Amino acid sequence: MNDELTLIAERITGARRLTILTGAGISAASGVPTFRGEGGLWRQYRPEDLATPDAFGRDPRLVWEWYAWRRETIAGCQPNAAHDVIARWSAGVRPGSDPGTGRLKVGVITQNVDDLHLRAGTRNLVRIHGSIWELSCWDGCPAGTTPWRDERVPLADLPPRCPHCGGLARPAVVWFGEALRDEHLRAALDATACDVFLTVGTSAIVYPAAGLVHEARRQGAFTAEINLEETPASTAVDVAIHGGAEVILPRLADLL
Ligand SMILES: NC(=O)c1ccc[n+]([C@@H]2O[C@H](COP(=O)([O-])OP(=O)(O)OC[C@H]3O[C@@H](n4cnc5c(N)ncnc54)[C@H](O)[C@@H]3O)[C@@H](O)[C@H]2O)c1
Ligand SMILES: [Zn+2]
């Protein structure tokens, strides 16, 4: 594994642009349950059956109870060493040095809705699946389509209401079967034009996020995966490292 880490470090050192895609695994060490794997279930419901517009349409209270439980869990969690390393890199505390420009542009795309990257101080962050701390109007009233922040735990009302039209509010997250916001998709695709693309703690099966590493590779990026387990991306990347992001990223940072 040391040789592989050294190889990634060398590639980052020579890079002008580094893009990092993160998924639920990066927050696992902070105590945020992932969807797949242990601890993913809540009252015997699968996330795939709750995080959909259909589920919300059928039973908004049930879906909100699940989100309220997740908000409560996440409220007690802190960013871990992996979030901290990425935040430092994004702030230009430079990993490696490009002899050409002396600068490295770091972009971070996360599928996580927990905002732990934000709390770690990450810059240049695209939250393609939104935030569990933001709400929007379920009915889509004009003012309520712009998400608003509500970090109260517990929420004042369950289910919460839209302050603009009085209708139902929903979590401002992207559910299964929903499209990403155009500007997020564009930013994520732009970020695939990079020299090094790291995919960290994602099961690599939820599209379009799962396609980004392939797109980066197609455009010539050096690609690496950090995950506890083998994923569908493992065989497609240049280097796949098996281990916890909270262990591997600090080790990688030490090599730069
Ligand atoms: N923290 C969060 O905000 C959160 C939590 C659960 C699910 N989600 C949502 O679930 C969807 C599911 O996709 P996903 O791929 O992000 O999550 P996922 O739950 O499908 O997969 C998690 C992946 O992380 C890996 N993993 C677990 N612990 C790890 C560790 N310590 N270090 C490195 N890897 C580790 C697992 O092997 C697995 O491949 C996303 O759209 C996301 O919005 C978000
Ligand atoms: Zn509304």
Coordinates of all heavy atoms in Angstrom, one line a residue, residues 7-8 31 36 38 41 44 56 60 85 89 108 112 153 160-161 164 175 183 188-189 204 229 237-238 245 255:
L7 N 2.8 6.7 -5.1 CA 2.4 7.0 -6.5 C 1.4 8.1 -6.5 O 1.5 9.1 -7.3 CB 1.9 5.7 -7.2 CG 1.4 5.8 -8.6 CD1 2.6 6.4 -9.5 CD2 0.9 4.5 -9.1
I8 N 0.3 8.0 -5.7 CA -0.7 9.0 -5.7 C -0.1 10.4 -5.3 O -0.3 11.4 -5.9 CB -1.9 8.7 -4.7 CG1 -2.5 7.4 -5.1 CG2 -2.9 9.8 -4.8 CD1 -3.6 6.9 -4.1
G31 N -19.2 9.0 12.7 CA -20.4 8.5 13.3 C -21.6 8.7 12.5 O -22.7 8.4 13.0
R36 N -25.3 2.1 2.6 CA -25.0 0.7 2.4 C -24.0 0.2 3.5 O -23.2 0.9 3.9 CB -24.4 0.5 1.0 CG -25.5 0.8 0.0 CD -25.1 0.9 -1.4 NE -26.3 1.4 -2.2 CZ -26.6 2.7 -2.3 NH1 -25.8 3.6 -1.8 NH2 -27.7 3.0 -3.0
E38 N -23.4 -1.7 7.4 CA -24.0 -1.8 8.7 C -24.5 -0.4 9.1 O -24.0 0.6 8.8 CB -22.9 -2.2 9.7 CG -22.8 -3.6 9.9 CD -21.6 -3.9 10.9 OE1 -21.7 -3.5 12.0 OE2 -20.7 -4.6 10.4
L41 N -29.8 0.9 8.2 CA -31.3 0.7 8.3 C -31.8 1.5 9.5 O -31.2 1.8 10.4 CB -31.6 -0.8 8.6 CG -31.4 -1.7 7.4 CD1 -31.8 -3.1 7.8 CD2 -32.1 -1.3 6.2
Q44 N -36.2 -0.8 10.1 CA -36.4 -1.8 9.1 C -36.7 -1.2 7.7 O -37.0 -1.9 6.7 CB -37.5 -2.8 9.4 CG -37.4 -3.5 10.8 CD -36.0 -4.1 11.0 OE1 -35.5 -4.7 10.1 NE2 -35.4 -3.8 12.1
F56 N -42.2 10.3 -0.1 CA -42.7 11.5 0.6 C -44.1 11.8 0.3 O -44.9 12.2 1.1 CB -41.8 12.7 0.2 CG -41.9 13.9 1.0 CD1 -41.3 14.0 2.2 CD2 -42.8 14.9 0.6 CE1 -41.5 15.2 3.0 CE2 -43.0 16.1 1.4 CZ -42.3 16.2 2.6
P60 N -45.4 11.8 4.1 CA -44.4 12.8 4.4 C -44.0 12.7 5.9 O -42.8 13.0 6.2 CB -45.1 14.1 4.2 CG -46.5 13.8 3.8 CD -46.7 12.4 3.6
V85 N -8.1 17.1 6.3 CA -7.0 17.1 5.2 C -7.6 17.8 4.0 O -6.9 18.6 3.4 CB -6.6 15.6 4.9 CG1 -5.8 15.6 3.6 CG2 -5.7 15.1 6.0
W89 N -6.2 21.2 2.1 CA -5.8 21.2 0.7 C -6.6 22.3 -0.1 O -6.1 23.0 -0.9 CB -6.0 19.8 0.0 CG -5.1 18.8 0.5 CD1 -4.0 18.9 1.3 CD2 -5.1 17.4 0.2 NE1 -3.4 17.7 1.5 CE2 -4.0 16.8 0.8 CE3 -6.0 16.6 -0.6 CZ2 -3.8 15.4 0.7 CZ3 -5.7 15.3 -0.8 CH2 -4.6 14.6 -0.1
V108 N -13.7 20.1 -4.7 CA -14.3 19.0 -3.9 C -15.8 18.9 -4.3 O -16.6 19.8 -4.2 CB -14.2 19.2 -2.4 CG1 -14.7 18.0 -1.6 CG2 -12.7 19.6 -2.0
N112 N -22.4 13.9 0.0 CA -22.9 13.9 1.4 C -23.8 15.1 1.7 O -23.6 16.2 1.1 CB -21.8 13.9 2.4 CG -21.0 12.6 2.3 OD1 -21.5 11.6 1.7 ND2 -19.8 12.5 2.9
V153 N -32.7 21.2 16.1 CA -32.9 19.8 16.4 C -33.5 19.7 17.8 O -32.8 20.2 18.7 CB -31.6 19.1 16.4 CG1 -31.7 17.6 16.9 CG2 -31.0 19.0 15.0
P160 N -42.4 19.9 8.9 CA -42.3 21.4 8.8 C -43.0 22.0 7.6 O -43.4 21.3 6.7 CB -40.8 21.6 8.7 CG -40.1 20.4 8.3 CD -41.1 19.2 8.6
R161 N -43.4 23.3 7.7 CA -44.2 23.9 6.7 C -43.3 24.9 5.9 O -42.3 25.4 6.5 CB -45.3 24.7 7.3 CG -46.1 24.1 8.4 CD -46.9 22.8 8.0 NE -47.7 22.9 6.9 CZ -48.5 21.9 6.4 NH1 -48.5 20.7 7.0 NH2 -49.3 22.1 5.4
H164 N -43.4 30.4 3.1 CA -43.9 31.3 2.1 C -45.3 31.0 1.7 O -46.1 31.9 1.6 CB -43.0 31.2 0.8 CG -41.5 31.4 1.1 ND1 -41.0 32.6 1.4 CD2 -40.5 30.5 1.2 CE1 -39.7 32.5 1.6 NE2 -39.4 31.2 1.5
W175 N -33.2 13.4 -4.0 CA -33.7 12.0 -3.8 C -33.4 11.1 -4.9 O -33.2 11.5 -6.1 CB -35.2 12.0 -3.5 CG -35.5 12.5 -2.0 CD1 -34.8 12.3 -0.9 CD2 -36.7 13.2 -1.6 NE1 -35.4 12.8 0.2 CE2 -36.6 13.4 -0.2 CE3 -37.8 13.7 -2.3 CZ2 -37.5 14.0 0.5 CZ3 -38.8 14.3 -1.5 CH2 -38.7 14.5 -0.1
E183 N -26.6 23.6 -12.3 CA -25.3 24.3 -12.0 C -24.4 23.3 -11.3 O -23.1 23.3 -11.4 CB -25.4 25.6 -11.3 CG -25.8 25.5 -9.8 CD -27.3 25.8 -9.7 OE1 -28.1 25.4 -10.5 OE2 -27.7 26.4 -8.6
A188 N -19.7 19.8 -11.5 CA -19.1 18.5 -11.3 C -18.4 18.0 -12.6 O -17.3 17.5 -12.5 CB -20.1 17.5 -10.8
L189 N -19.1 18.2 -13.7 CA -18.5 17.8 -15.0 C -17.2 18.6 -15.3 O -16.2 18.0 -15.7 CB -19.5 17.9 -16.1 CG -20.6 16.7 -16.1 CD1 -21.6 17.0 -17.1 CD2 -19.9 15.4 -16.3
A204 N -20.0 4.1 -5.3 CA -19.8 4.2 -6.8 C -20.9 3.5 -7.6 O -20.7 3.0 -8.6 CB -18.4 3.7 -7.2
E229 N -13.8 -1.0 1.0 CA -14.1 -2.2 0.2 C -13.9 -2.0 -1.3 O -13.7 -0.9 -1.7 CB -15.6 -2.6 0.4 CG -16.0 -2.8 1.8 CD -17.6 -2.9 1.9 OE1 -18.2 -2.7 0.9 OE2 -18.0 -3.2 3.0
V237 N -10.1 2.3 -11.9 CA -9.1 3.4 -11.5 C -7.7 2.9 -11.6 O -7.4 1.7 -11.7 CB -9.4 3.9 -10.0 CG1 -10.7 4.6 -9.9 CG2 -9.3 2.7 -9.0
D238 N -6.8 3.9 -11.6 CA -5.3 3.5 -11.7 C -4.9 2.9 -10.4 O -4.1 1.9 -10.5 CB -4.5 4.8 -12.0 CG -4.8 5.3 -13.4 OD1 -4.6 4.6 -14.4 OD2 -5.3 6.5 -13.5
A245 N -10.9 6.2 5.1 CA -10.4 7.6 4.6 C -9.8 8.4 5.7 O -8.8 9.1 5.4 CB -11.7 8.3 4.0
L255 N 2.9 12.5 3.0 CA 3.8 12.2 1.9 C 4.0 13.3 0.9 O 4.9 13.3 0.1 CB 3.3 11.0 1.1 CG 3.3 9.6 1.8 CD1 2.6 8.5 1.0 CD2 4.8 9.2 2.1

